[in-house]
Amino acid sequence: MSGIRQVDPPSGDDLDRAWAAVGGRLAPTPLVPAALAPGALLKLESFQPTGSFKVRGAVAALSALPEGVAAVTASAGNHALGMAHAAEATGRKATVVVAETASPAKVSALRRFPVDLVRHGPDFDAAEAYALELAGRDRVYVSAYNDTHVIAGQATIGCELDSQTDGPLTVVCGVGGGGLAAGLGLWAERRGDVRVVGVESAASRGVSASVAAGRVVTVTVGETVADGLSGNIEPGCVTPSLIGGRVLLASVTETEVRQAMRWLFARHGLVAEGAGAVGVAAVLAGKVEIVGRLVVVLTGRNIAPAAYAEAIA
């Protein structure tokens, strides 16, 4: 990626606008008991229409666009599906750029929505660079995590928790680019009785390294079953500064993630992709200090059947 995009941190007003947009278009996701700790709960974002929490940020971002301005993004995963769903729900125009090597199944899923699907380049970096080139006067680039309105949209999970359960709370979520943790940190600051714990894959700790350094740094990224959390964050990304001081950070190993995926299926009959299960993994591994009632966000279910079978075998 060339250059540094300047992104404003979301404000309380941004959160209010995001809640108005998301609450008007997406039904609240269930909050169900979990055998993790006394009174523990699972927030089932895997029950979203796209199978992932990412649709929240997409709806908030597209709803915030000025009339006549379209969106463009790069993704072949949950963010792309969220943007496609949001384009249909809001009537906005959106272009989704994917690599030429993107999964045929994911490309097929995206083609079911009214988006302009562009295949470009051998990998995600090339696709993202092209999407940024397309962004201009009449198109706005919407990052999966480094975007004011996307972050505010993810914070609406907290707005739902306001009416679903009382505090004090310890809320645990996954951390990839940090948009969800940053959003929940914004909401928690407003609440005052909520601790947020963000969980990374030990194979990809770009956010925690950047928080520790006080600036965005690049780390070595290994293979992980939590592929939705894998990769470095873009230069100048706003999420580390939002997370630092607001969110506690932990990490889990590949073995711990797979154990959590198995536990969710065996104990609760729930399918979770690796990225969706890291919060449960951290709790099961004793890496979360619980203050008040525990809420773990189950962020997504989108994993190929063969990969899921291998992960829980």
Side-chain angles (χ1 to χ4, degrees):
M1 182 185 304
S2 59
I4 295 177
R5 297 188 310 114
Q6 297 299 320
V7 174
D8 294 326
S11 65
D13 288 342
D14 292 319
L15 176 51
D16 290 338
R17 285 189 286 268
W19 177 227
V22 172
R25 291 189 171 92
L26 297 174
T29 52
L31 190 66
V32 300
L36 286 167
L41 299 163
L42 290 174
K43 180 65 168 160
L44 300 183
E45 287 296 293
S46 54
F47 279 35
Q48 289 285 8
T50 60
S52 162
F53 78 98
K54 293 278 190 179
V55 69
R56 291 179 182 271
V59 166
L62 293 195
S63 298
L65 286 178
E67 227 23 76
V69 176
V72 60
T73 195
S75 171
N78 288 331
H79 176 62
L81 286 171
M83 288 288 286
H85 179 92
E88 185 174 60
T90 63
R92 303 287 182 151
K93 293 183 178 180
T95 298
V96 177
V97 183
V98 302
E100 293 171 359
T101 53
S103 157
K106 291 180 178 178
V107 170
S108 177
L110 288 170
R111 289 195 190 280
R112 295 198 293 266
F113 292 93
V115 294
D116 180 15
L117 185 63
V118 177
R119 304 183 74 172
H120 180 89
D123 53 27
F124 172 77
D125 287 345
E128 185 179 44
Y130 185 65
L132 286 166
E133 287 180 21
L134 293 178
R137 184 167 53 87
D138 62 346
R139 267 191 283 207
V140 173
Y141 184 76
V142 179
S143 166
Y145 58 92
N146 189 29
D147 182 278
T148 306
H149 303 296
V150 166
I151 294 169
Q154 317 308 23
T156 63
I157 291 175
C159 299
E160 285 181 16
L161 290 176
D162 283 338
S163 62
Q164 289 179 319
T165 188
D166 296 326
L169 302 173
T170 296
V171 179
V172 186
C173 69
V175 176
L180 174 55
L184 288 175
L186 175 68
W187 162 73
E189 194 169 61
R190 172 185 284 188
R191 271 279 299 251
D193 63 349
V194 176
R195 298 167 75 250
V196 179
V197 180
V199 183
E200 294 175 303
S201 161
S204 183
R205 302 203 63 189
V207 167
S208 57
S210 297
V211 169
R215 58 183 177 84
V216 174
V217 297
T218 299
V219 300
T220 301
V221 176
E223 290 188 12
T224 174
V225 68
D227 58 310
L229 306 182
S230 181
N232 279 290
I233 55 178
E234 66 175 277
C237 180
V238 73
T239 59
S241 63
L242 291 171
I243 288 170
R246 286 177 171 168
V247 177
L248 302 170
L249 292 170
S251 68
V252 288
T253 66
E254 293 301 288
T255 297
E256 289 164 346
V257 177
R258 292 173 189 272
Q259 288 173 340
M261 294 169 73
R262 285 193 291 272
W263 184 91
L264 282 161
F265 180 75
R267 293 296 296 270
H268 293 283
L270 292 168
V271 172
E273 59 189 283
V278 294
V280 168
V283 174
L284 291 175
K287 296 180 177 180
V288 175
E289 180 184 357
I290 302 169
V291 176
R293 194 168 202 181
L294 174 68
V295 177
V296 181
V297 183
L298 197 66
T299 55
R301 67 170 189 261
N302 295 325
I303 182 171
Y308 182 70
E310 180 184 354
I312 67 170

